Amino acid sequence: MNHNTPLSPRPLSHLSEAHRRVMSAAQLREHGVPAARLSAQCRPGGPWQQLLPGVYLLHPGPPTSEERLHGALLYAGRPATGPLPRPGGAPEALITGLAALALHGFASTPALTGLDRFDVLVPRTRRLRSTGCVRVVRSAEVPVAEEVTGLPVAPVARAVADAVAQLADADDVRLVLTEAVRGGHCEPAAIVRELNGARLLSRPHVVDAVDALLAEGRARAEERLYEMVRAHGLPDPVWNVDLRMPGGPHLGGVDAYWPEQAVAVELDTRAPRQDEATVWTEYTRKRDHLERLGITVVHLTPKKLREAPEQQATVVRTALMASVDREPAAYVVVLPR
């Protein structure tokens, strides 16, 4: 038998080219290849070679990036074919880290051909060791896979956190975080949540990059808010102002304010960190104080502004129209901030 000989009795037509060229020992047995023949095929100078423990490359020469990725998933115990698990299904092995970001189309990460190792995310209970081109990443919770080029890949926020865990250079971390936001892959809060869960926010170079990320995320959210008001014909508000009682205390800053209707918009750009409970308490205290004065506060998240701007414009327009049916709000002083 040579490497072009069919592995019948089970046909291979249902497999992709990469799946035909990378198979596990169990799959080869299913296709009629006994252990003795497998061993013979993998002798020095033979047509096949062992790529990883229990995983075989069915041709001579170096593997392609696609073959290495399929081999990594096979090593982690994921079937080489079949649909991705449904949401809520049993967690499986996923490509994560830099390899996942490369598959998601990131320009700030090395191409797959430039990676010596691929990170594979598996449940914490799995007894599996890193070996060869596979670095095993364990997690108590494995997210639902996203399908990219037919492969199960971790969502961007989780892949970013797993990549950052392996990056020691501050510039590399900053570039990855910035592209995740500027490229529209995900919101800063989702990334910070994953970094916090991975206990990476204690690293100085990560903290500095996160501060820049949050500033970037807020700027992007403000741009979307401006665009929402313009594109959907809302009346012009005053932007980025502080509200104060006449001769009294500071009430807090808001991102947009319509004085005649006493409607304020505030962007919820909080990021989950250690002091989230304290931040949320201050956040709600300000909102409650403004609403007691008769000011309607509309909270918009960056994600909703990005995914459903028309719906958010309707929420703001409804609040503006409802002002005619409310008691007049208390007079407040509006100052630029």
Side-chain angles (χ1 to χ4, degrees):
M1 175 184 288
N2 59 42
H3 65 281
N4 293 317
T5 303
L7 298 179
S8 52
R10 187 177 174 187
L12 299 180
S13 58
H14 66 292
L15 300 176
S16 70
E17 181 64 24
H19 286 129
R20 293 191 190 105
R21 299 166 74 87
V22 182
M23 300 184 76
S24 68
Q27 289 174 323
L28 288 168
R29 285 195 300 272
E30 291 177 2
H31 287 84
V33 180
R37 182 168 294 176
L38 174 58
S39 179
Q41 293 289 95
C42 293
R43 288 174 182 168
W48 295 354
Q49 55 189 305
Q50 185 171 345
L51 181 62
L52 291 160
V55 179
Y56 298 89
L57 186 65
L58 308 188
H59 68 79
T64 65
S65 296
E66 185 182 13
E67 289 166 348
R68 292 166 66 214
L69 284 169
H70 282 289
L73 291 169
L74 281 175
Y75 171 71
R78 184 184 181 97
T81 59
L84 299 183
R86 295 178 180 178
E92 302 228 23
L94 313 178
I95 301 297
T96 190
L98 291 173
L101 297 181
L103 288 167
H104 280 296
F106 273 55
S108 60
T109 60
L112 292 173
T113 54
L115 294 175
D116 294 329
R117 305 186 86 183
F118 297 145
D119 291 338
V120 178
L121 184 61
V122 300
R124 182 171 293 169
T125 54
R126 291 288 307 279
R127 299 182 63 182
L128 200 65
R129 293 183 178 181
S130 299
T131 185
C133 66
V134 177
R135 179 189 293 113
V136 174
V137 179
R138 291 181 176 81
S139 177
E141 296 183 8
V142 175
V144 175
E146 295 183 5
E147 185 172 354
V148 182
T149 66
L151 295 169
V153 179
V156 168
R158 178 57 197 257
V160 165
D162 290 331
V164 167
Q166 304 298 327
L167 296 175
D169 185 86
D171 288 339
D172 291 341
V173 172
R174 178 180 54 79
L175 286 172
V176 167
L177 297 186
T178 300
E179 184 173 359
V181 175
R182 285 184 182 173
H185 295 284
C186 58
E187 299 300 332
I191 296 174
V192 177
R193 184 178 298 108
E194 293 289 354
L195 293 173
N196 190 35
R199 300 181 180 179
L200 295 172
L201 294 181
S202 60
R203 301 182 182 183
H205 68 288
V206 175
V207 172
D208 292 343
V210 164
D211 289 340
L213 171 76
L214 295 176
E216 174 81 17
R218 167 158 275 280
R220 295 278 294 178
E222 289 176 349
E223 290 174 3
R224 292 188 183 116
L225 179 59
Y226 299 152
E227 176 62 20
M228 183 199 76
V229 170
R230 185 198 65 79
H232 296 281
L234 296 175
D236 289 332
V238 288
W239 297 103
N240 294 317
V241 294
D242 277 325
L243 304 180
R244 294 178 179 271
M245 295 297 293
H250 176 237
L251 300 173
V254 294
D255 295 285
Y257 187 60
W258 288 263
E260 293 185 8
Q261 294 86 3
V263 172
V265 164
E266 189 163 18
L267 292 172
D268 184 359
T269 56
R270 292 172 300 116
R273 295 202 188 187
Q274 305 297 342
D275 58 350
E276 182 180 6
T278 300
V279 172
W280 177 245
T281 299
E282 295 174 357
Y283 196 80
T284 54
R285 185 185 295 119
K286 179 176 73 172
R287 180 196 62 196
D288 293 343
H289 193 176
L290 290 175
E291 292 186 342
R292 284 197 299 270
L293 295 172
I295 297 172
T296 299
V297 182
V298 178
H299 294 276
L300 302 180
T301 66
K303 182 178 180 181
K304 289 180 179 179
L305 275 175
R306 175 167 59 90
E307 296 180 351
E310 182 176 359
Q311 181 185 62
Q312 304 313 300
T314 299
V315 172
V316 175
R317 183 178 288 108
T318 300
L320 293 172
M321 295 174 61
S323 65
V324 298
D325 298 323
R326 300 197 314 264
E327 292 292 328
Y331 176 76
V332 296
V333 178
V334 181
L335 299 171
R337 62 171 177 172

